[in-house]
Amino acid sequence: MSYGYFDDDAREYVITTPHTPYPWINYLGTEEFFGLISHTGGGYTFCRDALMRRLTRWRYNNVPTDAGGRCYYINDGGDIWSPTWSPVGADLDHFEARHGMSYSSITGERNGIRCEVTFVVPLGATAEIHRVRLTNTTDSARSLQLFSLAEFCLWNAADDSTNYQRNLSLGEVEVEGSAIYHKTEYRERRNHYAVYGVNVPIQGYDTDRESFFGLRSNWAAPDAVVEGKSRDSIASGWAPVGSHQLDIDLAPGEQRDLVFVLGYVENAEDDKWEAPGVINKRKAEALLSRFSTSASVDAALSELKEYWSGLLEATAVSSGDPRLDRMINIWNPYQCMVTFNMSRSASYFESGLGRGMGFRDSAQDLLGFVHLIPERARERILDVAATQLPDGSAYHQYQPLTKRGNESVGGGFNDDPLWLIEGTAAYVRETGDLTILEEIVPFDNDPENAAPLLEHLARSFQHVLANLGPHGLPLIGRADWNDCLNLNAFSTEPGESFQTMETQDGRTAESIFIAGLFVHAGEQYADILEALGMSHGATTARERIVEMTHAVLEHGWDGSWFLRAYDHFGDKVGSAQNDEGQIFIEPQGMCVMAGIGAETSHANQALDSVNARLNSDHGILLLQPAFTRFRVELGEITTYPPGYKENGSVFCHTNPWVMIAATRQGRAEEAYEYWKKIAPAFREEIADRHRTEPYVYAQMIAGRDAPSYGEAKNSWLTGTAAWNWVAITQYIIGVRPELDGLRVEPCLAAEIADLSYVRHCRGAEYRVNIANGPGDGSPKLTVDGLAHEGTLVAYAEPGAVVVVDVVV
Ligand code: BGC
């Protein structure tokens, strides 16, 4: 069944029914202030940090799952409905939700009243604007009421959901004119409050939830709405909300716009109050007046659209297949930006309560982001590096508000440090900015112990070498990329965290994945040293890389594929000798991508094994056969029923590694086939099975062993976005920035006959036209009309336009 369609010209996905297989969401905001919004207006809002600065409440494990959020109610002579369908759920004569680049617009129509609500966080504003456009499409005059509702969160979202004995006695608000102020805890240590206002006089308001709803009503039928009368309640403790009542007359054909602003304001400590107990509202008033007209909303929207055009036009593909084009030109980079902003903190699957910014996650997200806003990527690299510990290891996570390493999770994930090299190298290749390596960055946020970024990379590299196991392979620590392969945990108590507990000394279990990553990242580190003129360092690093490569080929090869690990007892993991979990995807992708076994038959054999044993209709499975029982020596991976998550789902993040590996080995058809299986725009046709949004990648798709084979989960925040971007644009289309030029080396499947690709890099524009004819597979280049030796195109001056014609 179809639930919508792509409107590529508008860069929107248009959802035509409220009844999608799951809430299909979008993100509002680009820098500081964010909202998650579903196609029926659900979701919540926060400033900077989803845990610590939550403006509106989200109720976890809710039924229905997407209840609450941004609520608008229309009472049309007793007929009650919501323009966004939810929360009332009354049938609509027309429904349409458009998710665009950082804005959404939802329209509902019933009995001749059309109501379009546009949701946007304007650039440079810490506020969400909701423009409600009411149209009377009939030829008779109509009178109706509009009620708004936002439920405030008491700022710390975790505490808000649990600490009732305190929180139910805390809530405080003020109301002035049409603006409702939420000021809980402002009297004490907070310097911020929220405001929810509308640009016209109101006929009533509520700020106390129970007064608005009644104790026994529900989202669909609040007492105030049903009775058509706000209570003018002032919250004192309990649950503060913001609700406005507007009585509206509409002449035949008349259209009226109302502008609601939900904003966040901070005041300096000595400027908090206007009078004792009365908050200083100056900034809030300025915010409300900035967005007091419909024209100001249009201006904010066009500014936002221009901003996105500027970002997205840096790369553009035209391939003849709209599904490929829309992924590359619109949705993949958009998802990369959202993932960069959120890391893994806030989605409909990530609660915004726990994980802040992951070290490895944030470092990998950079790969899909460096070309979009290099300055912000630079800042992120320095933030992430500042949470590295002096011995080269790293905190696994940090909180965005404090930017400090998260003590409760700690470190010990031995792959983490290497991703810093990957992220930094991607940035340097994209920008040519070697000065970042000279930036002085603290270890563990301690200004007393700081060193140039280059030294951080050196310690990342050395940390692996300082932690080798019995086979000369890297010790895994608590886990490597696969957080759930916990070879030193041996957890037996329910509730223990597999990631933070360690019962073994950790000196035996080794990871072939980290070995592959060491080679992959190490090469990039050596290239950087070379570019800095430190050729001795580069040579030494390369010697270590060669040693590691030998160790992998000698001890990390199982006969037809790469082993996954050695466990605490020194036994093989991911071997044909095992009864389950015989082959894992991660080392196949990473080792081949790193070039291990390229000169022998190992690389192709590993890819053959992936194809034979892990390939499925819905993508490449993480492992096979899936584990059917809990194994204490392997940890969390064996806690999932077969086919889910790390236990044999299509864990999409890993698939692009295999695609890149395949292109390295010239296996163009395979690479493209793998991508199409997981690419959301290609899965739109099977939306009922896939269930999550057809415009963004999901972290996992249930594997062959699961009853719900093909069902996606954990959409939006996943390293899949960045890695697929790299795989498609840099390895399949094959245009990738290197330190001394743009590499143009397409590896296209035969079904793509011609493809043109515009790539901006370092201020110049490259227009790459690829004719994908039958041939020996090696590309022949012409640059600005002249035959060109090899596939590396030297960087042109900023402003230049370079035309590259490629015949494959
Ligand atoms: C985490 C990643 C991890 C992956 C595989 C994700 O949930 O964010 O850091 O690599 O799971 O375990």
Side-chain angles (χ1 to χ4, degrees), residues 322-337:
R323 296 169 299 182
L324 168 64
D325 295 359
R326 61 174 65 113
M327 285 312 305
I328 300 309
N329 298 341
I330 305 169
W331 293 97
N332 196 161
Y334 181 58
Q335 187 178 1
C336 284
M337 162 81 118

Side-chain angles (χ1 to χ4, degrees), residues 344 350 355 360-361 396 481-484 645-646 651 653 699:
R344 307 294 170 271
E350 303 283 5
R355 308 206 271 172
R360 81 157 80 87
D361 295 330
H396 198 45
W481 171 87
N482 190 327
D483 273 332
C484 299
K645 297 278 285 179
E646 281 83 347
F651 208 101
H653 184 144
Q699 179 210 60

Side-chain angles (χ1 to χ4, degrees), residues 472-784:
L473 294 164
L475 292 170
I476 196 166
R478 287 177 171 174
D480 60 20
W481 171 87
N482 190 327
D483 273 332
C484 299
L485 187 63
N486 317 113
L487 303 182
N488 294 303
F490 288 77
S491 172
T492 51
E493 286 301 315
E496 276 172 353
S497 160
F498 285 97
Q499 278 77 42
T500 56
M501 73 167 307
E502 258 165 317
T503 56
Q504 311 301 333
D505 66 3
R507 303 315 294 177
T508 306
E510 297 165 292
S511 161
I512 284 89
F513 172 79
I514 301 184
L517 177 60
F518 176 82
V519 173
H520 192 257
E523 288 289 359
Q524 300 172 62
Y525 170 59
D527 289 347
I528 287 179
L529 292 176
E530 204 93 63
L532 293 169
M534 304 166 82
S535 47
H536 177 69
T539 308
T540 317
R542 291 215 163 92
E543 283 164 13
R544 300 291 90 79
I545 290 168
V546 169
E547 285 161 19
M548 188 67 81
T549 305
H550 286 152
V552 171
L553 291 175
E554 198 177 329
H555 302 292
W557 181 250
D558 194 55
S560 302
W561 57 80
F562 293 99
L563 276 177
R564 179 62 177 86
Y566 286 95
D567 70 12
H568 167 71
F569 305 106
D571 292 335
K572 293 176 178 174
V573 180
S575 160
Q577 293 167 14
N578 301 125
D579 60 338
E580 295 178 335
Q582 294 175 335
I583 172 171
F584 283 64
I585 191 173
E586 304 100 304
Q588 324 311 325
M590 187 52 79
C591 291
V592 179
M593 194 161 89
I596 300 177
E599 281 144 25
T600 55
S601 62
H602 298 87
N604 276 327
Q605 274 191 66
L607 292 175
D608 290 345
S609 299
V610 168
N611 201 292
R613 308 198 38 151
L614 297 177
N615 192 10
S616 84
D617 292 342
H618 296 282
I620 314 170
L621 305 168
L622 191 142
L623 59 81
Q624 279 291 290
F627 295 104
T628 52
R629 63 178 175 82
F630 177 56
R631 296 170 195 246
V632 73
E633 73 284 7
L634 300 184
E636 185 169 356
I637 190 165
T638 61
T639 64
Y640 291 108
Y644 290 118
K645 297 278 285 179
E646 281 83 347
N647 189 15
S649 78
V650 176
F651 208 101
C652 298
H653 184 144
T654 59
N655 281 218
W657 295 339
V658 177
M659 293 174 210
I660 296 170
T663 63
R664 254 199 95 114
Q665 297 302 114
R667 300 162 72 128
E669 300 302 323
E670 211 172 74
Y672 198 56
E673 181 206 324
Y674 289 147
W675 180 63
K676 287 193 297 182
K677 286 184 176 174
I678 60 166
F682 286 80
R683 295 178 64 81
E684 191 191 18
E685 309 164 1
I686 53 162
D688 283 310
R689 177 176 293 219
H690 183 76
R691 292 191 73 205
T692 61
E693 299 88 340
Y695 39 90
V696 288
Y697 295 101
Q699 179 210 60
M700 66 150 259
I701 299 172
R704 205 157 49 203
D705 304 285
S708 58
Y709 182 32
E711 178 189 68
K713 281 200 191 102
N714 302 10
S715 54
W716 280 99
L717 305 185
T718 159
T720 311
W723 275 109
N724 269 307
W725 173 259
V726 173
I728 301 300
T729 63
Q730 302 188 6
Y731 289 89
I732 292 180
I733 297 174
V735 178
R736 58 182 173 271
E738 294 190 353
L739 287 173
D740 34 352
L742 198 66
R743 180 72 63 187
V744 181
E745 225 168 61
C747 188
L748 291 175
E751 69 180 80
I752 308 170
D754 295 298
L755 180 147
S756 65
Y757 182 58
V758 178
R759 176 64 152 95
H760 289 248
C761 191
R762 304 193 187 187
E765 178 179 328
Y766 301 83
R767 296 188 186 154
V768 182
N769 304 305
I770 307 169
N772 190 30
D776 64 4
S778 58
K780 307 269 178 308
L781 269 62
T782 313
V783 177
D784 286 336

Side-chain angles (χ1 to χ4, degrees), residues 26-30 33-35 37 70 102-104 119 121 128:
N26 192 18
Y27 285 81
L28 310 173
T30 50
F33 190 91
F34 299 103
I37 182 165
R70 299 154 186 85
S102 308
Y103 66 89
S104 290
F119 302 89
V121 174
E128 206 177 280

